[in-house]
């Protein structure tokens, strides 16, 4: 077998009338310009080669093809376009077989759907995840997938972006055969040989109609999907996906492809695509920190959790779900029993939903131990403290850990705001102390801030990242300051919201604006959910160090003084009727606001939704820029990932720093300077923002530095 193709990323070998076209573009065989050119050239040559009877397309390494090269989106297009490559493959008058292992996603699956037959190993991941990037399958996928699997299945795959396994893909008609061994090239060749032996016809997907024959059923599936999409406001591409499938039903294949092209281009040019692609790369980039490059994580299997409250119980569940062994320490037997029951309740909920069996629960809980004695942590590899947010209590806990834990054990705190350097310096082994800041509910929320105090050793930080990976969380490295990345920025935009409230906006208007922006809930709804007492305690703690000249809005404190902490007390900013989760605006809040405005000498004014939004976002971006400049966040993208994964910032807007880039930094700075005329202390432009505007740069330029 002699290599014949010129392009090294696509290698062609011909043996015994069967050509093997192998894509080798690490790490995931994305369809870069070179790969598209290589495929085009390979098919042009092979189609003219009379010796070739069948062509097998496959990928080298761990995947078939993970899709279009996402890095090329937004750059000037280079020929050949992927749809043209797909059409060329489909038009081939040699039998074309896609031999799939690993990921056949997006454009990768579209290549496979353009082949005449498909074979896959059982573990293959088959899907059209473009929706996650603000796109739709733009190389014929919206036309070919319904022609093979019908509208309902194609819509499900394209709107969810999920991966199907080979068995499901076979059932749906997306593949024809499951390989029996993992040698996918050999399997593809063997399958090609059997098809040739059987005289299998060339079967072009674009000419298939059987799956669409029952038009009424197809239309019903499209209508149902359209209704579903309409309910989920915000995203641009899902409705376009439905339009494409409608075109697959109504239009001849070539016209359907043209419709798809037009709608794909609209998606490609949308800011949502830019935001979502940014987050795709950012969530991978955050896993790389100086410490993960320089040090190896310490091994861990046994983890201690101190405190069985809201966070301790959630953290314990997260650890147990990852297969780790957990020992929970509480103050006394009653508190321990409560902590253990919180953990058990999560699994009972899973059983009630049919997601877990009693035996499954028992097997998980066999790895869960409890004690009121720290001595039970003698062999723990990692200990995570989640006791009351009080420096004295934390230091007492760490003194015990210092006493009982084995040398090399990682000692972590889940503190939200406290100075972790102070905690670290209180023990004899500050090099082992790190912050692991989980978010509530800790078994669900994906973000894990890994807070890096001054004396911690690199392998402890690397262990934090390894733990995040084990728990399937998104780690973000943060420096020590009051609130780290997320809570520090939250405090500032929350303050901007309070100022707008005192100046005339109602909290319900602000929540509505924030929801319309794309958050699942507004800041006042969030406060009611988390418990108003949490923020109250923080404000009280900070009172002593607050700048006496800084504006302070007392409204939230007034609610807390009445014991209105939100959902858990039946009322806060909203009133919650027993048994309901959603609240109605609390009418008793209005007079409190009016009274505070009067006390502050404020004449209330009205704000448009846009005005509210600009202040809210400007406060967030300005503080984000300060956090980056101080090195608390490594790059702007770390702020983006923190706010998207921990605070509900809409992913499709890319995070606050990316969003600021898309709006334009001069605009954001001009807003801040205008607001500063009212309150120069609060609205001090971040020097980094000023510098970037002066240099004509954006935040993204720092991500690439
Ligand atoms: N283009 C460019 N780079 C890609 C890529 C792609 N399609 N897919 C993955 N990568 C890069 C990642 O950024 C990462 O780079 P890094 O090492 O520099 O950080 C590297 O490949 C490895 O990726 P992962 O860390 O994600 O590796 P995993 O093994 O965990 O996952 C995967 C592999 C399941 C293939 C996952 O990478 C993935 O889901 N990729 C995206 C798939 C996708 O969205 N495809 C559709 C693209 S859009 C399209 O095809 C449009 C078409 O319809 C016209
Ligand atoms: P919580 O009040 O629900 O739970 C604290 C638990 O710690 C209680 O069960 C208490 O009995 C136990 N405890 C107190 N002192 C102890 C000691 N010396 N030894 C053993 N157990 C002890 O508090 P929550 O909300 O779980 O918070 C815990 C920590 O997590 C705090 O530092 C908080 O700032 C932080 N955090 C809280 C978040 C939240 O949303 N609630 C989010 C992220 C971090």
């Amino acid at each position: 077998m002699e290599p014949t193709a010129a392009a090294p990323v696509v290698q062609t070998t011909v043996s015994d009338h069967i050509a093997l076209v192998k894509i080798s573009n690490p790490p995931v065989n994305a369809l870069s310009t070179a790969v598209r050119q290589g495929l085009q050239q390979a098919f042009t040559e092979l189609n003219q080669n009379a010796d070739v009877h069948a062509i097998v397309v496959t990928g080298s390494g761990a995947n078939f093809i993970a899709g279009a090269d996402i890095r090329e989106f937004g750059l000037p297009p280079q020929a050949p376009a992927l749809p043209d490559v797909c059409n060329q493959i489909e038009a081939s008058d040699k039998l074309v077989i896609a031999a799939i292992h690993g990921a056949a996603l997006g454009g990768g699956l579209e290549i496979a759907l353009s082949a005449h037959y498909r074979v896959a190993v059982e573990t293959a991941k088959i899907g059209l995840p473009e929706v996650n990037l603000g796109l739709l399958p733009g190389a014929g996928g919206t036309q070919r997938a319904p022609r093979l699997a019908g509208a309902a299945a194609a819509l499900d795959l394209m709107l969810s972006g999920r991966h199907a396994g080979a068995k499901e893909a076979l059932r749906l008609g997306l593949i024809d055969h499951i390989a029996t061994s993992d040698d996918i090239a050999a399997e593809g060749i063997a399958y090609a040989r059997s098809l040739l032996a059987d005289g299998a016809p060339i079967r072009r997907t674009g000419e298939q109609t059987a799956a669409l024959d029952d038009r009424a059923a197809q239309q019903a599936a499209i209508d149902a999907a359209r209704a579903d999409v309409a309910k989920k406001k915000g995203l641009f591409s899902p409705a376009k996906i439905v339009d494409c499938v409608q075109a697959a039903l109504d239009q001849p294949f070539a016209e359907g492809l043209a419709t798809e092209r037009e709608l794909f281009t609209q998606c490609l040019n949308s800011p949502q695509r830019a935001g979502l692609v940014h987050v795709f790369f950012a969530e991978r980039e955050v896993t790389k920190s100086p410490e993960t490059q320089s040090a190896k994580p310490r091994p861990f299997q046994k983890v201690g959790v101190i405190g069985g409250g809201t966070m301790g119980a959630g953290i314990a569940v997260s650890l147990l779900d990852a297969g780790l062994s957990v020992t929970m320490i509480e103050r006394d037997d009653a508190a321990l029993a409560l902590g253990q029951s919180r953990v058990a309740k999560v699994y009972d909920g899973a059983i009630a939903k049919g997601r877990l069996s009693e035996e499954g629960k028992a097997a998980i809980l066999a790895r869960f131990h409890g004690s009121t004695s720290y001595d039970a942590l003698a062999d723990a590899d990692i200990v995570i403290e989640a006791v009351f947010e009080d420096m004295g209590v934390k230091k007492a806990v760490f003194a015990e850990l210092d006493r009982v834990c084995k040398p090399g054990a990682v000692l972590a705190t889940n503190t939200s705001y406290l100075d972790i350097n102070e905690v670290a310096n209180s023990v004899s082994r500050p090099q082992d102390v790190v912050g692991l800041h989980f978010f509530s509910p800790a078994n669900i929320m994906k973000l894990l801030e890994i807070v890096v105090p001054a004396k911690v050793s690199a392998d402890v930080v690397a262990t934090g990242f390894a733990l995040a990976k084990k728990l399937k969380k998104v780690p973000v490295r943060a420096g020590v300051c009051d609130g780290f990345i997320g809570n520090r920025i939250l405090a500032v935009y929350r303050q901007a919201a309070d100022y707008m409230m005192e100046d005339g906006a109602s909290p319900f208007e602000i929540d509505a604006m924030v929801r319309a922006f794309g958050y699942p809930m507004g800041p006042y709804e969030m406060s009611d959910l988390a418990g108003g007492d949490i923020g109250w305690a923080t404000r009280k703690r900070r009172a002593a160090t607050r700048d006496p000249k800084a504006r302070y809005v007392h409204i939230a404190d007034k609610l807390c003084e009445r014991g209105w902490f939100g959902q858990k007390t039946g009322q806060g900013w909203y009133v919650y009727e027993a048994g309901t989760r959603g609240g109605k605006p609390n009418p008793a809040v209005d007079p409190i606001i009016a009274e505070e405005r009067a006390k502050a000498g404020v004449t209330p004014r009205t704000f448009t939704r846009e005005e509210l939004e600009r202040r809210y976002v400007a406060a967030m971006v300005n503080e984000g820029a300060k956090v980056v400049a101080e090195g608390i966040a490594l790059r702007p993208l770390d702020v983006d990932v923190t706010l998207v994964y921990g605070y509900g910032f809409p992913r499709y807007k890319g995070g606050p720093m990316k969003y600021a880039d898309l709006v334009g930094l001069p605009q954001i700075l001009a807003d801040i300077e205008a607001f500063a005329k009212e309150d120069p202390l609060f609205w001090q432009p971040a020097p980094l923002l000023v510098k970037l505007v002066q240099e004509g740069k954006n935040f993204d330029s720092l991500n690439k530095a």
Side-chain angles (χ1 to χ4, degrees), residues 27-28 30-31 63 66-71 73 82-83 103 105-108 110 125 128-130 132-133 135-139 163 261 264 280-281 284-285 288:
V28 293
L31 294 158
N63 298 293
D69 187 338
I70 300 171
R71 287 177 207 279
F73 293 146
L82 188 56
L105 298 174
E110 290 175 297
K125 289 183 197 153
L128 293 166
E130 285 87 344
N132 296 329
L133 302 171
L135 291 168
L136 51 84
H163 302 168
R261 196 72 212 148
F264 177 80
F280 175 87
F281 287 117
R284 285 165 174 74
E285 223 36 56
K288 302 163 193 165

Side-chain angles (χ1 to χ4, degrees), residues 179-528:
T180 44
S181 84
D182 284 341
D183 184 349
I184 191 60
E187 288 281 344
I189 290 168
Y191 185 47
R193 237 178 255 304
S194 76
L195 288 167
L196 287 174
D198 293 349
I202 286 179
R203 197 188 51 178
R204 297 193 172 92
T205 307
E207 293 166 3
Q208 306 299 305
T209 54
L212 295 180
D213 275 352
D214 183 350
R215 289 187 61 84
Q218 306 309 310
Q219 192 58 55
I222 294 171
D223 293 345
R226 196 178 293 287
D228 219 31
V229 163
K231 272 188 246 148
K232 297 182 203 132
K233 294 196 179 70
L235 286 174
F236 179 74
S237 77
K240 307 290 167 198
I241 289 173
V242 181
D243 290 345
C244 285
V245 177
Q246 186 72 60
L249 191 61
D250 295 345
Q251 297 174 351
F253 184 61
E255 268 177 48
L257 286 180
T259 301
E260 177 194 87
R261 196 72 212 148
E262 188 193 322
L263 297 178
F264 177 80
T265 307
Q266 286 180 20
C267 294
L268 191 65
N269 294 335
S270 80
Q272 294 197 353
R273 190 274 304 158
L276 287 165
V277 167
H278 170 73
V279 177
F280 175 87
F281 287 117
E283 68 196 4
R284 285 165 174 74
E285 223 36 56
V286 288
T287 62
K288 302 163 193 165
S289 81
E291 294 83 3
T292 57
Q293 316 286 330
S294 71
K296 281 210 163 14
R298 296 179 186 176
F300 57 86
Q301 185 54 42
K302 294 184 176 163
V303 185
V305 175
I306 322 283
T310 309
M311 292 309 290
I315 293 168
V317 171
S318 179
L319 295 163
L320 289 168
D321 286 348
L324 297 165
S325 150
V326 178
T327 299
M328 175 183 278
I329 305 287
E330 259 290 357
R331 292 182 290 177
D332 51 45
D333 288 339
L336 179 60
L338 207 57
Q340 288 174 317
S341 71
R342 285 192 185 102
V343 170
K345 212 173 132 193
V346 174
Y347 294 111
D348 290 338
I351 292 172
K353 288 186 188 131
R355 291 195 201 133
L356 185 71
S357 63
E358 286 290 350
E359 300 75 55
K361 175 186 162 188
I364 293 170
L365 292 186
R367 285 184 274 110
F368 183 42
H369 316 281
S371 178
T372 53
S373 163
Y374 282 84
D375 295 327
L377 297 180
D379 61 351
D381 305 305
I382 301 177
V383 180
I384 304 169
E385 162 284 305
V387 301
F388 300 137
E389 185 75 342
D390 178 284
M391 185 55 91
V393 179
K394 304 266 190 213
K395 280 187 183 167
V397 167
F398 270 78
E400 286 296 288
L401 297 180
D402 205 4
R403 183 178 65 79
V404 301
C405 289
K406 65 182 182 187
V410 171
L411 309 182
T413 171
N414 181 49
T415 179
S416 306
Y417 294 95
L418 299 177
D419 182 352
I420 302 179
N421 284 320
E422 192 178 332
V423 177
N425 288 334
S426 73
V427 293
S428 68
R429 33 174 135 174
Q431 73 281 0
D432 296 333
V433 177
V434 71
L436 291 178
H437 184 215
F438 290 77
F439 288 71
S440 179
N443 53 318
I444 296 185
M445 293 291 286
K446 287 273 171 226
L447 182 65
L448 181 63
E449 274 183 307
I450 298 182
V451 192
V452 180
K455 292 186 186 158
V456 68
S457 61
D459 62 348
V460 169
V461 178
T463 311
F465 279 86
L467 180 69
K469 187 167 183 193
K470 181 94 185 155
L471 304 186
K472 299 199 172 73
K473 302 226 179 270
V474 179
V476 173
R477 183 193 191 281
V480 176
C481 70
D482 199 341
F484 319 126
I485 299 177
N487 280 344
R488 173 167 157 183
I489 297 174
L490 166 71
V492 175
Y493 65 80
R494 183 50 213 270
Q495 219 174 333
D498 285 351
Y499 293 165
M500 295 189 286
M501 174 167 62
E502 195 173 67
D503 285 339
S506 88
F508 318 114
E509 267 179 277
I510 295 171
D511 278 349
M513 173 278 288
V514 172
R515 263 184 277 112
F517 186 79
Y519 277 81
M521 65 180 86
Y524 299 102
E525 290 165 299
M526 186 65 222
S527 154
D528 271 5

Side-chain angles (χ1 to χ4, degrees), residues 147-206:
R147 279 177 165 78
L148 290 176
L155 281 163
D156 168 43
L157 281 181
M158 290 190 279
L159 291 172
S160 69
R162 72 184 174 85
H163 302 168
K167 276 191 181 146
E168 185 188 356
L170 181 69
R171 189 166 45 75
L172 296 178
L174 290 172
I175 65 167
D176 306 290
H177 182 62
I178 296 190
T180 44
S181 84
D182 284 341
D183 184 349
I184 191 60
E187 288 281 344
I189 290 168
Y191 185 47
R193 237 178 255 304
S194 76
L195 288 167
L196 287 174
D198 293 349
I202 286 179
R203 197 188 51 178
R204 297 193 172 92
T205 307

Side-chain angles (χ1 to χ4, degrees), residues 515-596:
R515 263 184 277 112
F517 186 79
Y519 277 81
M521 65 180 86
Y524 299 102
E525 290 165 299
M526 186 65 222
S527 154
D528 271 5
L529 178 67
D533 49 326
I534 293 185
W536 193 29
T538 309
R539 292 192 296 278
K540 283 194 269 193
R541 178 173 55 78
R542 286 178 170 169
T545 51
R546 192 181 302 128
D547 183 345
K549 293 196 289 298
R551 178 176 177 189
Y552 187 79
V553 176
H554 296 268
I555 301 168
D557 296 349
K558 297 291 165 194
L559 266 64
C560 291
E561 283 164 17
R562 287 166 170 78
W564 299 350
F565 296 151
Q567 291 192 14
K568 63 184 169 190
T569 58
Q571 66 178 324
W573 302 98
Y574 295 81
V575 231
Y576 302 88
E577 279 159 25
T580 61
R581 283 191 84 207
K584 297 199 185 87
N586 188 349
V589 166
D590 292 334
I592 298 174
I593 296 177
E595 197 180 320
E596 290 305 312

